[in-house]
C-alpha cells in the first residue's frame, strides 16, 4: 500500500523515461524468476560479493571495461578511470563493499544503456519508496543526536529502512541477472534478434545525470 503513495512516472530529465524496451521482468516479479540472485541482496547474503559478481558478469569478464561505478557518478574531480580504478579488481571489491547501493545501481544502469531499457512504473515506485525510507532514517538519526528520547524510534526506523534496502537490492539483482541470462539464451546479448536496441555507448564518455534507477542506502545508528 505504501508504494501507491509514490509517483510512478519518469522525471523530466530522466534519460530512461522515453525508451520503448522493457526489462523481461519487473522488480516486483524478479525474486520469483531468479530467487538465488535475489538472496544475494538480502542481509544473510553478501551484497559485496554479489555486486562484484554481477559487474564482472555484465562486463562479460572484460575487466578493461571496468570503471568506478562505470562512470555514472562522475562528479567534480572524482571521475571513473581517473584515479587508477580502470580495470582494477581491488577497486571493484572496494566499490561493492563501501558503495554497495551505487555499485548495484551502476550495474543496472549499465544494462539499461546496453539494451536501451526503461524501468516500468512499479520499478520506479519501489526505488522511490526505498530512497524515501533511507532519507527518513537519516533525518531521524540526526534528530536523535540532539534529542535522546528519539533514539529508540530512530533505531526502529533504521532497521525498517535497512530491510527495505536489502529487499530492493535483492529485487534489482534478480532483475538484472534474469535479464542477462534470458538474453544469453536468446543470443541477443549483442543486440541480435532481440528487436530494436540502441547501440551501446560507454557511460564514461558522456555526461550522466543521476538516473531514476539510483537506489540509496544509509547506515548510521542513532547511538553511534
Amino acid at each position: 500500500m505504501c508504494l501507491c503513495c509514490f509517483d510512478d512516472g519518469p522525471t523530466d530529465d530522466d534519460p530512461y523515461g522515453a525508451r520503448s524496451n522493457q526489462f523481461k521482468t519487473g522488480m516486483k516479479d524478479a525474486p520469483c524468476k531468479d530467487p538465488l540472485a535475489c538472496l544475494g541482496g538480502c542481509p544473510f547474503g553478501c551484497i559485496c560479493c554479489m555486486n562484484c559478481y554481477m559487474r564482472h558478469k555484465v562486463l562479460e569478464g572484460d575487466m578493461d571495461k571496468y570503471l568506478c561505478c562505470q562512470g555514472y557518478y562522475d562528479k567534480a574531480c572524482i571521475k571513473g578511470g581517473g584515479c587508477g580504478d580502470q580495470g582494477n579488481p581491488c577497486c571493484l571489491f572496494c566499490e561493492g563493499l563501501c558503495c554497495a547501493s551505487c555499485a548495484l545501481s551502476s550495474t543496472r544502469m549499465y544494462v539499461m544503456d546496453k539494451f536501451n531499457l526503461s524501468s516500468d512504473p512499479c520499478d520506479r515506485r519501489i526505488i522511490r519508496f526505498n530512497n524515501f525510507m533511507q532519507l527518513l532514517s537519516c533525518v531521524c538519526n540526526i534528530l536523535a543526536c540532539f534529542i535522546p528520547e528519539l533514539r529508540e524510534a530512530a533505531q526502529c526506523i533504521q532497521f525498517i529502512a535497512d530491510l527495505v534496502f536489502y529487499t530492493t537490492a535483492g529485487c534489482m539483482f534478480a532483475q538484472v541477472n534474469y535479464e542477462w541470462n534470458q538474453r544469453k539464451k536468446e543470443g541477443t546479448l549483442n543486440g541480435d534478434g532481440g528487436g530494436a536496441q540502441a547501440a551501446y555507448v560507454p557511460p564514461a564518455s558522456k555526461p550522466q545525470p543521476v538516473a531514476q534507477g539510483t537506489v540509496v542506502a544509509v547506515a548510521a545508528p542513532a547511538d553511534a
Side-chain angles (χ1 to χ4, degrees), residues 6-92:
F6 296 86
D7 182 34
D8 62 2
T11 59
D12 293 338
D13 61 348
D14 181 12
Y16 304 102
R19 296 180 178 179
S20 57
N21 295 340
Q22 295 285 329
F23 277 101
K24 295 185 183 297
T25 185
M27 285 174 59
K28 65 181 177 62
D29 299 317
C32 294
K33 298 286 187 179
D34 196 339
L36 289 179
C38 181
L39 289 176
C42 75
F44 305 105
C46 181
I47 194 169
C48 170
C49 294
M50 193 63 181
N51 265 324
C52 294
Y53 169 76
M54 286 306 305
R55 183 68 61 79
H56 187 267
K57 184 172 185 174
V58 303
L59 293 177
E60 301 178 82
D62 185 359
M63 284 298 293
D64 288 339
K65 296 179 181 177
Y66 171 74
L67 301 172
C68 182
C69 294
Q70 292 309 120
Y72 285 103
Y73 295 92
D74 287 354
K75 300 293 180 183
C77 60
I78 302 176
K79 297 185 182 298
C83 52
D85 58 304
Q86 186 167 8
N88 191 330
C90 292
C91 288
L92 173 57

Side-chain angles (χ1 to χ4, degrees), residues 108-127:
R108 184 171 184 264
M109 288 187 285
Y110 181 95
V111 171
M112 292 174 75
D113 276 338
K114 184 175 178 67
F115 301 121
N116 196 32
L117 300 174
S118 172
S119 293
D120 68 29
C122 190
D123 286 0
R124 299 188 191 108
R125 279 180 168 165
I126 292 172
I127 292 169

